[in-house]
Structures are given as C-alpha cells and as structure tokens.
Amino acid sequence: MPGPPFPKGSPPLSFSADSERALAPYGWDHDWAAQFTPYAEQGLLPGRVVRVDRGKCDVLTADGAVRADTAFVTPHDPLRVVCTGDWAAVDPGGSPRYVRACLPRRTAFVRSTSSKRSEGQILAANVDWAVIAVSLAAELDLGRIERFLALAWESGAQPLIVLTKADLAPDAAGLGHLVQDVQATAPGVQVLPVSATAGHGVDVLAAIVADGTSVLLGVSGAGKSTLANALLGDDVMDVQAIRDVDGKGRHTTTTRNLLALPGGGVLIDTPGLRGVGLFDAGSGVEQAFSEIEELAEECRFHDCAHRSEPGCAVLAAIDDGTLQPRRLDSYRKLVRENRRNVAKTDARLRADIRREWKRQGAFGRAARAAKEGHGLP
C-alpha cells in the first residue's frame, strides 16, 4: 500500500472560527464541515486542492498551502483521482504528507478521453459555474459551443457563455447579431460579450462568479488566460499571441489551477481543450437541446426518431421555421456519439443500438419501396 497508514490514536482536530474563516473564501461551508467530521476525529486537516501535478498536489489548508502525495488514494477508476477543486483530508504534518481521502463531489466536469475504452477524464470538481470562453476573433463554431454546453449541463454546474474579444466585432449591430446566434444555440444560458483588454463586461462577469467556484473552459486561443488576468486583477496567467490566420493559439495554461478572486469566489483555469468528447452525458445533451426535447414530447410516437415518422412535432417545427435544421443535425450527432461511447462499457445498450439500427433500416427500406410504387416488402 503506498504511503504509511495514518497513526491510530491521533488527537482529533477541533475546527476554530479562524480556520473556517481561512477556508471560506475557497468555498468551505457548514455542509463540507459536517462531511469532514469523521476525518477531523482522526486528526486530519481539511483543504482544497488547488493544483495537481504528477501524482502530487497543492492543498490550501487553514494553516496555508501544503504539498501532498496523492498515491495513498489513487483509485483504479480514473474519475476518482484527486482533482483540482476537490476537498481533501490531508496529514497534519510530517514528510512526505499524503492526501488520505476526498469528500464526495457536488459536481464534476468530465470529458471522454481518446481511449478506445471511452474512459472519462475529470477536469474540475465542485464547480458552480462552467464559464465557456468563445473567441470572436474567429468564426463562431456553434457545434462546439453545443458540445461544451452538453458537458457543462451534465456536470451539474450552471453554464455561462462569455464571448471574448468583443472589441473585435465590426460594430454594435454586428456584435448583437453574434450574441443572438449564440443565444439561439444556448437556451436557458446567459451569453455575455466581454473585452478583457478594453474592460467591457468584466465587472458583470466578476459579479456573477463572485458566488461560488467557476471553471474557465474553451479551446486554445479563446482568451481564457487574458480573461483570468482581468478577473484576478493581475497578470497571473501567461498570455501568448494568437495567430492571425485562424484565430488559434498555443496552450498558455498547462495545468488546472484554482485561484481566489479579489471580488469573491474562486476560479479554476484549464488548458485549452482540443477535444471535448462526451462521456455518459445523456442528460446534458437533453438540457443543451431542451427545445427539441420539449417538441419530442408532442410527437405521435414516443420512440420517434424525428426522421420521417408521421406526426413528428420536431419535423413540423423544421417545416414551419421555428427549429433550424442545423440544431437537429447537431442534436442527432451528439446523441449518437454519447450512445456510442456509453455502449463501449454497456453491453445492454450495445444490443439496444443494434436493434435500433435494424429497425431504422427496415423502416427506410419500406419507405423507399413505397415511394417507388412497389408496395411494402
């Protein structure tokens, strides 16, 4: 077993008001304290993981930041590894110090890895706001925004879309149209245009994220580090130039870091994400395409695939212009991807998918035969 066992009979830790005040800016509250009681009785210290790097992590405790080894609690499940944002129980002293346990997470932002087994990778834990940074220096990729939204909704956090580099919009009218396009893609989500260099919108964003923990997400070149610096009021994060040809940039953040904001709240900055694969995000996809889910409830058949079935409310919305075909195509794509990834570890779902393929194939052949005037096979 990695690491020495925690010595029995250690004196229990008593929480002082000063200790609670020291951790409160990082999200500590009465519910966390109640969950931590068994570990306090063992003499362990509570702390929030602010950075993880090569099997070790930096944990902020009431006594200050400590460096701790995560080997003692490394599980076989990659989703249970120590992650930035976790609340941990750490040794009160000694060398080396170990993380002995992590409290159950309230929320977790997880994406699928490129592994053929479709393993999940946790990016941040115990997040209240998922801030999706989208650069206006490049053409809007609405499909990518929908993908980020599905992951954000699935995490349990509240998504917020920030359109960075708003000063690059041609004019106020043009910026308004861009905002409207994103709003139509993100039902139920606030869309906030921000220019970190000009200072526009930063105060509004700071007021929103002052309540709780936020994770900053986006692709490389989305302006996350510049935005983080604007919120932090200092050049804490390195910033690199963006290529003019495609609006893309290199990774300026290489690890996930949790930082306290001067106006309240904490921010987890993440590296630019090249891939944002779905991992068991069925409910997140439903929330990201809530208008399609609502329409589907009006379809004649409860298992309607929204392709050519009679009485399909979704297709009717396409016909009358209230639903854009692009939205339905994107919805289908993410549903397929999510089901395919889940099926890699779920034999029953794999069988269901095969039956659905056969059913759709038979339906398509019958429809073609009827159209050609040959009758049903």
Side-chain angles (χ1 to χ4, degrees):
M1 178 183 294
F6 192 78
K8 296 181 179 179
S10 299
L13 174 71
S14 60
F15 290 114
S16 67
D18 289 341
S19 296
E20 293 201 359
R21 279 196 295 269
L23 292 176
Y26 287 85
W28 186 258
D29 57 31
H30 293 303
D31 289 338
W32 289 123
Q35 291 187 54
F36 195 82
T37 299
Y39 302 108
E41 292 172 350
Q42 299 176 47
L44 297 173
L45 290 175
R48 191 145 198 205
V49 178
V50 299
R51 185 172 182 268
V52 180
D53 182 28
R54 299 178 182 178
K56 297 185 183 296
C57 63
D58 296 325
V59 183
L60 186 78
T61 71
D63 296 334
V66 302
R67 186 74 166 163
D69 197 312
T70 66
F72 194 79
V73 294
T74 299
H76 295 296
D77 183 354
L79 297 181
R80 297 306 308 165
V81 298
V82 178
C83 177
T84 302
D86 273 328
W87 283 101
V90 298
D91 292 336
S95 180
R97 299 173 81 161
Y98 289 90
V99 172
R100 299 290 171 168
C102 288
L103 297 183
R105 294 162 178 156
R106 294 178 181 174
T107 62
F109 193 94
V110 180
R111 69 167 175 175
S112 178
T113 67
S114 58
S115 167
K116 293 182 179 180
R117 293 177 295 177
S118 187
E119 294 179 336
Q121 178 191 20
I122 182 165
L123 300 179
N126 301 314
V127 171
D128 301 295
W129 293 95
V131 182
I132 303 168
V134 179
S135 172
L136 294 183
E139 184 177 355
L140 286 176
D141 187 337
L142 299 179
R144 180 181 288 136
I145 293 174
E146 290 163 339
R147 183 177 291 272
F148 270 112
L149 285 172
L151 293 176
W153 283 121
E154 187 69 30
S155 75
Q158 171 66 43
L160 169 66
I161 297 177
V162 175
L163 302 180
T164 64
K165 308 177 186 179
D167 54 297
L168 298 182
D171 49 44
L175 177 59
H177 290 310
L178 292 171
V179 171
Q180 290 175 1
D181 288 344
V182 178
Q183 287 175 333
T185 303
V189 178
Q190 183 174 356
V191 179
L192 180 65
V194 169
S195 171
T197 55
H200 300 318
V202 175
D203 54 343
V204 178
L205 177 60
I208 294 173
V209 300
D211 181 20
T213 298
S214 303
V215 61
L216 192 53
L217 304 158
V219 299
S220 297
K224 298 188 306 301
S225 295
T226 302
L227 188 60
N229 285 333
L231 291 171
L232 290 162
D234 200 358
D235 292 336
V236 176
M237 314 304 295
D238 290 334
V239 178
Q240 293 181 348
I242 306 303
R243 298 197 300 256
D244 291 334
V245 63
D246 55 10
K248 296 180 180 180
R250 294 171 290 172
H251 293 300
T252 57
T253 303
T254 57
T255 58
R256 292 177 284 279
N257 304 280
L258 185 148
L259 303 162
L261 297 173
V266 292
L267 178 70
I268 299 176
D269 192 22
T270 64
L273 301 176
R274 290 190 178 92
V276 280
L278 302 185
F279 180 80
D280 198 4
S283 62
V285 173
E286 292 176 1
Q287 186 69 39
F289 295 88
S290 57
E291 82 278 31
I292 295 179
E293 291 291 323
E294 291 173 2
L295 287 167
E297 294 179 0
E298 304 299 324
C299 291
R300 180 183 301 178
F301 304 110
H302 75 277
D303 59 347
C304 183
H306 319 309
R307 295 192 179 278
S308 56
E309 296 87 344
C312 176
V314 174
L315 295 181
I318 294 287
D319 291 339
D320 65 23
T322 57
L323 178 66
Q324 295 299 313
R326 190 206 66 79
R327 281 285 283 174
L328 181 57
D329 290 342
S330 184
Y331 170 75
R332 288 169 173 163
K333 178 180 179 180
L334 293 187
V335 168
R336 286 196 305 269
E337 177 185 326
N338 189 67
R339 283 170 61 86
R340 185 169 58 248
N341 286 338
V342 174
K344 291 179 181 178
T345 56
D346 189 329
R348 179 177 297 180
L349 181 58
R350 285 199 298 273
D352 289 344
I353 291 175
R354 283 195 293 270
R355 284 193 293 270
E356 177 65 16
W357 285 344
K358 291 180 180 178
R359 189 183 76 84
Q360 289 293 333
F363 184 88
R365 288 192 296 273
R368 286 195 298 273
K371 184 176 181 180
E372 293 170 0
H374 299 302
L376 295 178

